[in-house]
């Protein structure tokens, strides 16, 4: 399965984040041995435990909602935080990354789904953040793109519309704030059920879990 997905992604020059949440280190190790190096987790305790146990050349992606008081546990090692959804959490990431003498790459998460359960910024909130003096003074973070989750539905047209929404947000921010910043280039969208649509709509990074690891058991 991994091989087939990687071939599809290569055709679109899209990167794979293998979402390993709920799966034990031994399972991740098998996918690692097949060559995969980017793994995604959505819980702070779980990502730190696995980071300690697994090879040091794994690039760990944090993809879940991040509470301010837990930022300090992941800044020492995290490769990319996909889920920055407030100025407050970004400020804390910058502070903790500074303490760790690192610069941490981040994506701004946007609310693109009709469902109102998903975390994320609006375009207006992102503009306010990016225009602020507080943001301009941050030296230990770098915003490298955007992330979003589509509604969980069979309605292909709706999912496409939501992905287009994120692509438009990316293009807008690129033009307004990052025109000269080559590092602002990532659009993290697409999961097991919708990654093909996401690739067609311009995703640069997909986050795929169950298709690679099988169904999750939350017990
Ligand atoms: C769990 C999760 C995924 C992967 O979901 P699958 O449907 O298993 O591919 C992707 N993104 C986020 C934010 C997740 O929490």
């Amino acid at each position: 399965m991994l091989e087939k997905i990687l071939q599809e992604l290569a055709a679109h020059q899209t990167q794979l984040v293998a979402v390993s949440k709920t799966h034990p280190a031994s399972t991740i190790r098998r996918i690692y041995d097949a060559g995969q190096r980017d793994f995604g987790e959505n819980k702070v305790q779980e990502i730190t435990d696995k980071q300690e146990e697994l090879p040091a050349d794994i690039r760990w992606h944090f993809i879940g909602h991040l509470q301010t008081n837990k930022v300090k546990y992941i800044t020492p090692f995290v490769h990319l935080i996909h889920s920055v959804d407030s100025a407050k959490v970004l400020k804390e990431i910058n502070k903790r990354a500074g303490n760790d003498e690192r610069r941490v790459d981040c994506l701004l998460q946007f609310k693109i789904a009709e469902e109102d359960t998903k975390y994320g910024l609006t375009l207006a909130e992102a503009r306010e953040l990016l225009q602020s003096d507080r943001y301009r003074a941050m030296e230990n973070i770098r915003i490298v793109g955007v992330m979003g989750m589509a509604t969980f539905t069979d309605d292909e047209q709706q999912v496409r519309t939501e992905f287009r929404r994120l692509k438009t947000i990316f293009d807008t921010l690129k033009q307004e704030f990052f025109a000269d910043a080559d590092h602002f280039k990532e659009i993290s969208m697409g999961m097991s059920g919708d990654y093909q649509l996401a690739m067609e709509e311009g995703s640069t990074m997909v986050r795929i879990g169950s298709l690679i690891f099988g169904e999750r058991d939350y017990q």
Side-chain angles (χ1 to χ4, degrees), residues 19 21 42 63 147 149 191-193 207-210 216:
V19 177
K21 64 191 187 198
N42 69 341
I63 63 172
M147 182 271 224
M149 285 166 89
M191 305 172 32
S192 291
R207 310 176 307 272
I208 299 182
S210 42
R216 286 179 289 274

Side-chain angles (χ1 to χ4, degrees), residues 17-23 40-42 62-65 82-83 109 118 147-149 152 188 190-195 206-216 218:
V17 177
V19 177
S20 48
K21 64 191 187 198
T22 76
H23 298 287
E41 292 283 341
N42 69 341
F62 192 80
I63 63 172
H65 178 65
H82 290 232
S83 44
Q109 180 173 356
K118 303 266 156 70
M147 182 271 224
M149 285 166 89
F152 189 70
S188 169
M191 305 172 32
S192 291
D194 56 21
Y195 75 96
V206 293
R207 310 176 307 272
I208 299 182
S210 42
L211 214 52
I212 296 171
F213 292 97
E215 291 305 314
R216 286 179 289 274
Y218 282 101

